[in-house]
Amino acid sequence: MAKLKTLYFCQNCGAQYSQWHGQCKTCGEWNTLVEEIVEKSTKSVATKSKSSIINIIEVEAIEEPRIVTPSEELNRVLGGGIVLGSVTLIGGEPGIGKSTLLLQLALKMKKKILYVSGEESASQIKMRADRLAEVKNPNCFLFTETSLEKIIHEATKLMPDFVIIDSIQTLQSQLIESSPGTVSQIRECSNEIIKFAKENNIPVFLVGHITKDGQIAGPKVLEHMVDVVLNFDGDRNHLFRLLRANKNRFGSTSEIGIYEMISTGLKEIKNPSEILITKKFEELSGNSVAVTLEGNRPMLLEIQALVSTAVYGTPQRSSTGFDSKRLNMLLAVLEKRAGFQLGSKDVFLNITGGIKTDDPALDLAVIASILSSNEDIAISEHYCFAGEIGLSGEIRPVAQVEQRITEAEKLGYEKIFISNLNKLPKKKFGIKVEEISKIEDFVERLF
């Protein structure tokens, strides 16, 4: 009997070693090497290739055909729809709604769908389907299996228009003698699925688990192999879910899709600005409205700040949805350039709705909220802000300012504060545009 061939694989980065080590030399993580059985074929590799060398000028550019889904938010993130033969990986926290999103999509699409689940039984999926969709798809087929070979066989026999696999970590190939979820199993299963998708021109959606650090579990090569990597996130204590593209070979990665989790599934948010802004009955200090941009989509977010005297010796700096290091920088600029003594005070910052964003245009609204709370003077609810703060206290211009102004005007705001360096078109807006250059000017005009 032939001796089994074993190698050690890092469960964090996928690096392989011939013997065990306490620390992975590639990624530096400790105790991540696991022994796995591998079988390498001894067949010789053919050197003859079907393809030939061609000059790039002679290549004919063909527009990739797409399947337009019933979800406008998903279409926006994917760049216009699902490309035929593409493989899309979607990851997110447990219970955030990945399976719900894809099952809802399968039930509403007028296509032949194969939904493969290695985590739930057919009856469990049926119970969720009854709760989710108003429209039932008669061509939606379920297959509860974890064997890769059986899944490929059934998919080849059915030849659906679209395949959903939930999840890639539960699949197991007979060619690899290791448990599901290991690096070698994920790599082998992904290779076979991608090969099936490309050969039959069938798009495939893969659900992926994530680690405690928020990264998709398994080897990093998995994200390199697929065509699109989507991240579905959001605060489980809030109803909003954000769909972002970390990688997209067929479109932009700057677009964002917003959903709301309700009892009947995920509801698309057509105009997020109206929902994310609190309808205040009275003006309160520490609140301001920022005009941000996600891809080509302008949104208005409410920024809340609380500045209070530090109870303990060291003042606290806490932020939710905003970069804490950038908050510290803005506080330093306020103290150095505008003369506000905030070094001995606690500062708490929050973006309402559980939204997280890194748009630098939020800086002006953040400073407005901090100053409003510090002085205990309310900002008019008809004011909004869009500007980046520099280290010397200057207000820097932001991208696509015309779209931001138009969005604020559409929602009924009366005044928007922007940088005087922004180049505005020669047209009249229905909202007053306040152009400022320094923080000192901003403080004088705000209060």
PDB file of all heavy atoms in Angstrom, residues 6-37:
ATOM      1  N   THR A   6       1.383  13.802   2.973  1.00  0.00           N
ATOM      2  CA  THR A   6       0.789  14.842   3.814  1.00  0.00           C
ATOM      3  C   THR A   6       1.645  16.096   3.771  1.00  0.00           C
ATOM      4  O   THR A   6       2.863  16.039   3.649  1.00  0.00           O
ATOM      5  CB  THR A   6       0.667  14.373   5.275  1.00  0.00           C
ATOM      6  OG1 THR A   6       1.981  14.123   5.792  1.00  0.00           O
ATOM      7  CG2 THR A   6      -0.198  13.141   5.384  1.00  0.00           C
ATOM      8  N   LEU A   7       0.962  17.249   3.871  1.00  0.00           N
ATOM      9  CA  LEU A   7       1.613  18.555   3.948  1.00  0.00           C
ATOM     10  C   LEU A   7       0.939  19.363   5.041  1.00  0.00           C
ATOM     11  O   LEU A   7      -0.170  19.042   5.482  1.00  0.00           O
ATOM     12  CB  LEU A   7       1.516  19.298   2.601  1.00  0.00           C
ATOM     13  CG  LEU A   7       2.336  18.760   1.433  1.00  0.00           C
ATOM     14  CD1 LEU A   7       1.984  19.512   0.157  1.00  0.00           C
ATOM     15  CD2 LEU A   7       3.826  18.867   1.713  1.00  0.00           C
ATOM     16  N   TYR A   8       1.597  20.404   5.478  1.00  0.00           N
ATOM     17  CA  TYR A   8       1.044  21.285   6.507  1.00  0.00           C
ATOM     18  C   TYR A   8       0.648  22.607   5.858  1.00  0.00           C
ATOM     19  O   TYR A   8       1.456  23.260   5.191  1.00  0.00           O
ATOM     20  CB  TYR A   8       2.069  21.528   7.618  1.00  0.00           C
ATOM     21  CG  TYR A   8       2.377  20.286   8.414  1.00  0.00           C
ATOM     22  CD1 TYR A   8       3.374  19.399   8.003  1.00  0.00           C
ATOM     23  CD2 TYR A   8       1.652  19.974   9.558  1.00  0.00           C
ATOM     24  CE1 TYR A   8       3.655  18.243   8.711  1.00  0.00           C
ATOM     25  CE2 TYR A   8       1.927  18.815  10.282  1.00  0.00           C
ATOM     26  CZ  TYR A   8       2.923  17.965   9.856  1.00  0.00           C
ATOM     27  OH  TYR A   8       3.184  16.832  10.573  1.00  0.00           O
ATOM     28  N   PHE A   9      -0.621  22.984   6.051  1.00  0.00           N
ATOM     29  CA  PHE A   9      -1.155  24.211   5.460  1.00  0.00           C
ATOM     30  C   PHE A   9      -1.505  25.213   6.559  1.00  0.00           C
ATOM     31  O   PHE A   9      -2.064  24.837   7.602  1.00  0.00           O
ATOM     32  CB  PHE A   9      -2.422  23.918   4.644  1.00  0.00           C
ATOM     33  CG  PHE A   9      -2.157  23.157   3.368  1.00  0.00           C
ATOM     34  CD1 PHE A   9      -2.186  21.773   3.351  1.00  0.00           C
ATOM     35  CD2 PHE A   9      -1.874  23.835   2.200  1.00  0.00           C
ATOM     36  CE1 PHE A   9      -1.942  21.078   2.190  1.00  0.00           C
ATOM     37  CE2 PHE A   9      -1.629  23.145   1.026  1.00  0.00           C
ATOM     38  CZ  PHE A   9      -1.658  21.764   1.016  1.00  0.00           C
ATOM     39  N   CYS A  10      -1.166  26.476   6.319  1.00  0.00           N
ATOM     40  CA  CYS A  10      -1.558  27.558   7.237  1.00  0.00           C
ATOM     41  C   CYS A  10      -3.029  27.865   6.994  1.00  0.00           C
ATOM     42  O   CYS A  10      -3.433  28.160   5.867  1.00  0.00           O
ATOM     43  CB  CYS A  10      -0.709  28.809   7.007  1.00  0.00           C
ATOM     44  SG  CYS A  10      -1.236  30.238   7.968  1.00  0.00           S
ATOM     45  N   GLN A  11      -3.846  27.816   8.038  1.00  0.00           N
ATOM     46  CA  GLN A  11      -5.279  28.066   7.906  1.00  0.00           C
ATOM     47  C   GLN A  11      -5.599  29.553   7.773  1.00  0.00           C
ATOM     48  O   GLN A  11      -6.742  29.923   7.527  1.00  0.00           O
ATOM     49  CB  GLN A  11      -6.032  27.487   9.118  1.00  0.00           C
ATOM     50  CG  GLN A  11      -5.827  25.996   9.330  1.00  0.00           C
ATOM     51  CD  GLN A  11      -6.267  25.179   8.123  1.00  0.00           C
ATOM     52  OE1 GLN A  11      -7.420  25.222   7.725  1.00  0.00           O
ATOM     53  NE2 GLN A  11      -5.337  24.430   7.530  1.00  0.00           N
ATOM     54  N   ASN A  12      -4.580  30.396   7.929  1.00  0.00           N
ATOM     55  CA  ASN A  12      -4.798  31.837   7.808  1.00  0.00           C
ATOM     56  C   ASN A  12      -4.481  32.354   6.413  1.00  0.00           C
ATOM     57  O   ASN A  12      -5.274  33.098   5.839  1.00  0.00           O
ATOM     58  CB  ASN A  12      -3.948  32.586   8.842  1.00  0.00           C
ATOM     59  CG  ASN A  12      -4.198  34.075   8.832  1.00  0.00           C
ATOM     60  OD1 ASN A  12      -5.323  34.519   9.013  1.00  0.00           O
ATOM     61  ND2 ASN A  12      -3.159  34.857   8.609  1.00  0.00           N
ATOM     62  N   CYS A  13      -3.339  31.951   5.852  1.00  0.00           N
ATOM     63  CA  CYS A  13      -2.926  32.492   4.550  1.00  0.00           C
ATOM     64  C   CYS A  13      -2.825  31.432   3.461  1.00  0.00           C
ATOM     65  O   CYS A  13      -2.697  31.779   2.287  1.00  0.00           O
ATOM     66  CB  CYS A  13      -1.592  33.229   4.677  1.00  0.00           C
ATOM     67  SG  CYS A  13      -0.194  32.143   5.060  1.00  0.00           S
ATOM     68  N   GLY A  14      -2.848  30.134   3.817  1.00  0.00           N
ATOM     69  CA  GLY A  14      -2.804  29.080   2.811  1.00  0.00           C
ATOM     70  C   GLY A  14      -1.417  28.597   2.439  1.00  0.00           C
ATOM     71  O   GLY A  14      -1.281  27.745   1.562  1.00  0.00           O
ATOM     72  N   ALA A  15      -0.385  29.134   3.082  1.00  0.00           N
ATOM     73  CA  ALA A  15       0.985  28.691   2.773  1.00  0.00           C
ATOM     74  C   ALA A  15       1.159  27.225   3.162  1.00  0.00           C
ATOM     75  O   ALA A  15       0.567  26.752   4.134  1.00  0.00           O
ATOM     76  CB  ALA A  15       1.989  29.562   3.517  1.00  0.00           C
ATOM     77  N   GLN A  16       1.988  26.483   2.413  1.00  0.00           N
ATOM     78  CA  GLN A  16       2.176  25.060   2.691  1.00  0.00           C
ATOM     79  C   GLN A  16       3.631  24.775   3.073  1.00  0.00           C
ATOM     80  O   GLN A  16       4.560  25.424   2.598  1.00  0.00           O
ATOM     81  CB  GLN A  16       1.755  24.203   1.505  1.00  0.00           C
ATOM     82  CG  GLN A  16       2.639  24.332   0.272  1.00  0.00           C
ATOM     83  CD  GLN A  16       2.191  23.414  -0.854  1.00  0.00           C
ATOM     84  OE1 GLN A  16       1.003  23.175  -1.028  1.00  0.00           O
ATOM     85  NE2 GLN A  16       3.140  22.898  -1.615  1.00  0.00           N
ATOM     86  N   TYR A  17       3.796  23.793   3.969  1.00  0.00           N
ATOM     87  CA  TYR A  17       5.109  23.413   4.479  1.00  0.00           C
ATOM     88  C   TYR A  17       5.202  21.893   4.494  1.00  0.00           C
ATOM     89  O   TYR A  17       4.195  21.184   4.640  1.00  0.00           O
ATOM     90  CB  TYR A  17       5.327  23.961   5.891  1.00  0.00           C
ATOM     91  CG  TYR A  17       5.249  25.472   5.989  1.00  0.00           C
ATOM     92  CD1 TYR A  17       4.031  26.097   6.234  1.00  0.00           C
ATOM     93  CD2 TYR A  17       6.377  26.265   5.831  1.00  0.00           C
ATOM     94  CE1 TYR A  17       3.934  27.483   6.319  1.00  0.00           C
ATOM     95  CE2 TYR A  17       6.301  27.649   5.924  1.00  0.00           C
ATOM     96  CZ  TYR A  17       5.076  28.247   6.163  1.00  0.00           C
ATOM     97  OH  TYR A  17       4.996  29.617   6.253  1.00  0.00           O
ATOM     98  N   SER A  18       6.415  21.406   4.394  1.00  0.00           N
ATOM     99  CA  SER A  18       6.622  19.953   4.421  1.00  0.00           C
ATOM    100  C   SER A  18       6.644  19.416   5.841  1.00  0.00           C
ATOM    101  O   SER A  18       6.452  18.229   6.067  1.00  0.00           O
ATOM    102  CB  SER A  18       7.936  19.600   3.711  1.00  0.00           C
ATOM    103  OG  SER A  18       9.035  20.273   4.343  1.00  0.00           O
ATOM    104  N   GLN A  19       6.911  20.281   6.838  1.00  0.00           N
ATOM    105  CA  GLN A  19       6.902  19.859   8.235  1.00  0.00           C
ATOM    106  C   GLN A  19       6.251  20.947   9.085  1.00  0.00           C
ATOM    107  O   GLN A  19       6.116  22.090   8.670  1.00  0.00           O
ATOM    108  CB  GLN A  19       8.320  19.575   8.731  1.00  0.00           C
ATOM    109  CG  GLN A  19       9.273  20.760   8.636  1.00  0.00           C
ATOM    110  CD  GLN A  19      10.683  20.389   9.038  1.00  0.00           C
ATOM    111  OE1 GLN A  19      10.973  19.237   9.308  1.00  0.00           O
ATOM    112  NE2 GLN A  19      11.570  21.370   9.096  1.00  0.00           N
ATOM    113  N   TRP A  20       5.882  20.563  10.300  1.00  0.00           N
ATOM    114  CA  TRP A  20       5.125  21.486  11.159  1.00  0.00           C
ATOM    115  C   TRP A  20       6.044  22.555  11.746  1.00  0.00           C
ATOM    116  O   TRP A  20       7.187  22.295  12.117  1.00  0.00           O
ATOM    117  CB  TRP A  20       4.464  20.701  12.291  1.00  0.00           C
ATOM    118  CG  TRP A  20       3.543  21.547  13.122  1.00  0.00           C
ATOM    119  CD1 TRP A  20       2.240  21.837  12.866  1.00  0.00           C
ATOM    120  CD2 TRP A  20       3.868  22.211  14.341  1.00  0.00           C
ATOM    121  NE1 TRP A  20       1.735  22.648  13.839  1.00  0.00           N
ATOM    122  CE2 TRP A  20       2.712  22.895  14.769  1.00  0.00           C
ATOM    123  CE3 TRP A  20       5.031  22.310  15.123  1.00  0.00           C
ATOM    124  CZ2 TRP A  20       2.667  23.650  15.932  1.00  0.00           C
ATOM    125  CZ3 TRP A  20       4.994  23.067  16.276  1.00  0.00           C
ATOM    126  CH2 TRP A  20       3.817  23.728  16.673  1.00  0.00           C
ATOM    127  N   HIS A  21       5.516  23.779  11.845  1.00  0.00           N
ATOM    128  CA  HIS A  21       6.193  24.894  12.508  1.00  0.00           C
ATOM    129  C   HIS A  21       5.196  25.557  13.456  1.00  0.00           C
ATOM    130  O   HIS A  21       3.993  25.543  13.216  1.00  0.00           O
ATOM    131  CB  HIS A  21       6.685  25.937  11.497  1.00  0.00           C
ATOM    132  CG  HIS A  21       7.671  25.407  10.507  1.00  0.00           C
ATOM    133  ND1 HIS A  21       9.015  25.270  10.795  1.00  0.00           N
ATOM    134  CD2 HIS A  21       7.516  24.972   9.230  1.00  0.00           C
ATOM    135  CE1 HIS A  21       9.645  24.778   9.738  1.00  0.00           C
ATOM    136  NE2 HIS A  21       8.745  24.578   8.777  1.00  0.00           N
ATOM    137  N   GLY A  22       5.704  26.113  14.507  1.00  0.00           N
ATOM    138  CA  GLY A  22       4.821  26.806  15.451  1.00  0.00           C
ATOM    139  C   GLY A  22       4.277  28.097  14.879  1.00  0.00           C
ATOM    140  O   GLY A  22       3.150  28.488  15.176  1.00  0.00           O
ATOM    141  N   GLN A  23       5.075  28.761  14.044  1.00  0.00           N
ATOM    142  CA  GLN A  23       4.666  30.023  13.450  1.00  0.00           C
ATOM    143  C   GLN A  23       4.753  29.943  11.937  1.00  0.00           C
ATOM    144  O   GLN A  23       5.709  29.402  11.386  1.00  0.00           O
ATOM    145  CB  GLN A  23       5.555  31.169  13.951  1.00  0.00           C
ATOM    146  CG  GLN A  23       5.132  32.544  13.448  1.00  0.00           C
ATOM    147  CD  GLN A  23       6.115  33.631  13.864  1.00  0.00           C
ATOM    148  OE1 GLN A  23       7.301  33.369  14.041  1.00  0.00           O
ATOM    149  NE2 GLN A  23       5.621  34.841  14.030  1.00  0.00           N
ATOM    150  N   CYS A  24       3.739  30.485  11.254  1.00  0.00           N
ATOM    151  CA  CYS A  24       3.770  30.547   9.795  1.00  0.00           C
ATOM    152  C   CYS A  24       4.754  31.634   9.374  1.00  0.00           C
ATOM    153  O   CYS A  24       4.645  32.784   9.804  1.00  0.00           O
ATOM    154  CB  CYS A  24       2.372  30.845   9.242  1.00  0.00           C
ATOM    155  SG  CYS A  24       2.335  31.082   7.464  1.00  0.00           S
ATOM    156  N   LYS A  25       5.709  31.269   8.525  1.00  0.00           N
ATOM    157  CA  LYS A  25       6.731  32.223   8.095  1.00  0.00           C
ATOM    158  C   LYS A  25       6.192  33.242   7.090  1.00  0.00           C
ATOM    159  O   LYS A  25       6.811  34.273   6.864  1.00  0.00           O
ATOM    160  CB  LYS A  25       7.907  31.470   7.474  1.00  0.00           C
ATOM    161  CG  LYS A  25       8.616  30.540   8.450  1.00  0.00           C
ATOM    162  CD  LYS A  25       9.730  29.762   7.759  1.00  0.00           C
ATOM    163  CE  LYS A  25      10.406  28.803   8.731  1.00  0.00           C
ATOM    164  NZ  LYS A  25      11.458  28.001   8.072  1.00  0.00           N
ATOM    165  N   THR A  26       5.031  32.942   6.508  1.00  0.00           N
ATOM    166  CA  THR A  26       4.469  33.840   5.492  1.00  0.00           C
ATOM    167  C   THR A  26       3.662  34.974   6.110  1.00  0.00           C
ATOM    168  O   THR A  26       3.872  36.138   5.793  1.00  0.00           O
ATOM    169  CB  THR A  26       3.589  33.054   4.510  1.00  0.00           C
ATOM    170  OG1 THR A  26       4.351  31.988   3.945  1.00  0.00           O
ATOM    171  CG2 THR A  26       3.065  33.952   3.407  1.00  0.00           C
ATOM    172  N   CYS A  27       2.734  34.619   7.011  1.00  0.00           N
ATOM    173  CA  CYS A  27       1.853  35.646   7.587  1.00  0.00           C
ATOM    174  C   CYS A  27       2.188  35.979   9.035  1.00  0.00           C
ATOM    175  O   CYS A  27       1.660  36.955   9.586  1.00  0.00           O
ATOM    176  CB  CYS A  27       0.392  35.220   7.479  1.00  0.00           C
ATOM    177  SG  CYS A  27      -0.015  33.738   8.449  1.00  0.00           S
ATOM    178  N   GLY A  28       3.045  35.161   9.682  1.00  0.00           N
ATOM    179  CA  GLY A  28       3.461  35.465  11.045  1.00  0.00           C
ATOM    180  C   GLY A  28       2.525  34.991  12.132  1.00  0.00           C
ATOM    181  O   GLY A  28       2.782  35.234  13.313  1.00  0.00           O
ATOM    182  N   GLU A  29       1.423  34.309  11.774  1.00  0.00           N
ATOM    183  CA  GLU A  29       0.466  33.827  12.786  1.00  0.00           C
ATOM    184  C   GLU A  29       1.001  32.562  13.461  1.00  0.00           C
ATOM    185  O   GLU A  29       1.704  31.759  12.846  1.00  0.00           O
ATOM    186  CB  GLU A  29      -0.883  33.532  12.132  1.00  0.00           C
ATOM    187  CG  GLU A  29      -1.624  34.766  11.646  1.00  0.00           C
ATOM    188  CD  GLU A  29      -2.093  35.643  12.772  1.00  0.00           C
ATOM    189  OE1 GLU A  29      -2.485  35.101  13.827  1.00  0.00           O
ATOM    190  OE2 GLU A  29      -2.063  36.881  12.627  1.00  0.00           O
ATOM    191  N   TRP A  30       0.627  32.395  14.736  1.00  0.00           N
ATOM    192  CA  TRP A  30       1.073  31.241  15.518  1.00  0.00           C
ATOM    193  C   TRP A  30      -0.002  30.157  15.541  1.00  0.00           C
ATOM    194  O   TRP A  30      -1.198  30.448  15.582  1.00  0.00           O
ATOM    195  CB  TRP A  30       1.406  31.669  16.944  1.00  0.00           C
ATOM    196  CG  TRP A  30       2.659  32.494  17.049  1.00  0.00           C
ATOM    197  CD1 TRP A  30       2.760  33.848  16.937  1.00  0.00           C
ATOM    198  CD2 TRP A  30       3.987  32.014  17.279  1.00  0.00           C
ATOM    199  NE1 TRP A  30       4.067  34.249  17.075  1.00  0.00           N
ATOM    200  CE2 TRP A  30       4.847  33.137  17.293  1.00  0.00           C
ATOM    201  CE3 TRP A  30       4.537  30.749  17.466  1.00  0.00           C
ATOM    202  CZ2 TRP A  30       6.213  33.038  17.497  1.00  0.00           C
ATOM    203  CZ3 TRP A  30       5.903  30.643  17.662  1.00  0.00           C
ATOM    204  CH2 TRP A  30       6.728  31.773  17.676  1.00  0.00           C
ATOM    205  N   ASN A  31       0.454  28.890  15.562  1.00  0.00           N
ATOM    206  CA  ASN A  31      -0.409  27.711  15.728  1.00  0.00           C
ATOM    207  C   ASN A  31      -1.527  27.642  14.692  1.00  0.00           C
ATOM    208  O   ASN A  31      -2.669  27.317  15.010  1.00  0.00           O
ATOM    209  CB  ASN A  31      -1.003  27.680  17.149  1.00  0.00           C
ATOM    210  CG  ASN A  31       0.067  27.591  18.211  1.00  0.00           C
ATOM    211  OD1 ASN A  31       1.068  26.895  18.039  1.00  0.00           O
ATOM    212  ND2 ASN A  31      -0.124  28.303  19.307  1.00  0.00           N
ATOM    213  N   THR A  32      -1.219  27.987  13.447  1.00  0.00           N
ATOM    214  CA  THR A  32      -2.226  27.922  12.388  1.00  0.00           C
ATOM    215  C   THR A  32      -1.945  26.810  11.387  1.00  0.00           C
ATOM    216  O   THR A  32      -2.735  26.603  10.470  1.00  0.00           O
ATOM    217  CB  THR A  32      -2.296  29.263  11.628  1.00  0.00           C
ATOM    218  OG1 THR A  32      -0.997  29.583  11.119  1.00  0.00           O
ATOM    219  CG2 THR A  32      -2.787  30.386  12.523  1.00  0.00           C
ATOM    220  N   LEU A  33      -0.831  26.068  11.556  1.00  0.00           N
ATOM    221  CA  LEU A  33      -0.493  25.004  10.610  1.00  0.00           C
ATOM    222  C   LEU A  33      -1.219  23.709  10.973  1.00  0.00           C
ATOM    223  O   LEU A  33      -1.178  23.257  12.120  1.00  0.00           O
ATOM    224  CB  LEU A  33       1.018  24.756  10.587  1.00  0.00           C
ATOM    225  CG  LEU A  33       1.813  25.530   9.519  1.00  0.00           C
ATOM    226  CD1 LEU A  33       1.693  27.022   9.771  1.00  0.00           C
ATOM    227  CD2 LEU A  33       3.265  25.105   9.508  1.00  0.00           C
ATOM    228  N   VAL A  34      -1.914  23.140   9.974  1.00  0.00           N
ATOM    229  CA  VAL A  34      -2.686  21.908  10.162  1.00  0.00           C
ATOM    230  C   VAL A  34      -2.247  20.903   9.110  1.00  0.00           C
ATOM    231  O   VAL A  34      -2.085  21.248   7.927  1.00  0.00           O
ATOM    232  CB  VAL A  34      -4.202  22.188  10.042  1.00  0.00           C
ATOM    233  CG1 VAL A  34      -4.987  20.888  10.107  1.00  0.00           C
ATOM    234  CG2 VAL A  34      -4.664  23.141  11.132  1.00  0.00           C
ATOM    235  N   GLU A  35      -2.058  19.659   9.540  1.00  0.00           N
ATOM    236  CA  GLU A  35      -1.637  18.604   8.616  1.00  0.00           C
ATOM    237  C   GLU A  35      -2.832  18.137   7.783  1.00  0.00           C
ATOM    238  O   GLU A  35      -3.918  17.867   8.312  1.00  0.00           O
ATOM    239  CB  GLU A  35      -1.063  17.416   9.395  1.00  0.00           C
ATOM    240  CG  GLU A  35      -0.499  16.330   8.494  1.00  0.00           C
ATOM    241  CD  GLU A  35       0.073  15.166   9.289  1.00  0.00           C
ATOM    242  OE1 GLU A  35      -0.236  15.058  10.494  1.00  0.00           O
ATOM    243  OE2 GLU A  35       0.826  14.371   8.703  1.00  0.00           O
ATOM    244  N   GLU A  36      -2.648  18.061   6.459  1.00  0.00           N
ATOM    245  CA  GLU A  36      -3.701  17.614   5.558  1.00  0.00           C
ATOM    246  C   GLU A  36      -3.127  16.592   4.582  1.00  0.00           C
ATOM    247  O   GLU A  36      -1.972  16.679   4.177  1.00  0.00           O
ATOM    248  CB  GLU A  36      -4.304  18.790   4.779  1.00  0.00           C
ATOM    249  CG  GLU A  36      -4.977  19.815   5.677  1.00  0.00           C
ATOM    250  CD  GLU A  36      -5.540  20.977   4.902  1.00  0.00           C
ATOM    251  OE1 GLU A  36      -5.660  20.840   3.660  1.00  0.00           O
ATOM    252  OE2 GLU A  36      -5.848  22.013   5.502  1.00  0.00           O
ATOM    253  N   ILE A  37      -3.959  15.620   4.210  1.00  0.00           N
ATOM    254  CA  ILE A  37      -3.556  14.575   3.268  1.00  0.00           C
ATOM    255  C   ILE A  37      -3.766  15.086   1.853  1.00  0.00           C
ATOM    256  O   ILE A  37      -4.833  15.584   1.506  1.00  0.00           O
ATOM    257  CB  ILE A  37      -4.370  13.289   3.496  1.00  0.00           C
ATOM    258  CG1 ILE A  37      -4.144  12.774   4.928  1.00  0.00           C
ATOM    259  CG2 ILE A  37      -4.010  12.228   2.469  1.00  0.00           C
ATOM    260  CD1 ILE A  37      -5.032  11.625   5.311  1.00  0.00           C
TER     261      ILE A  37
END
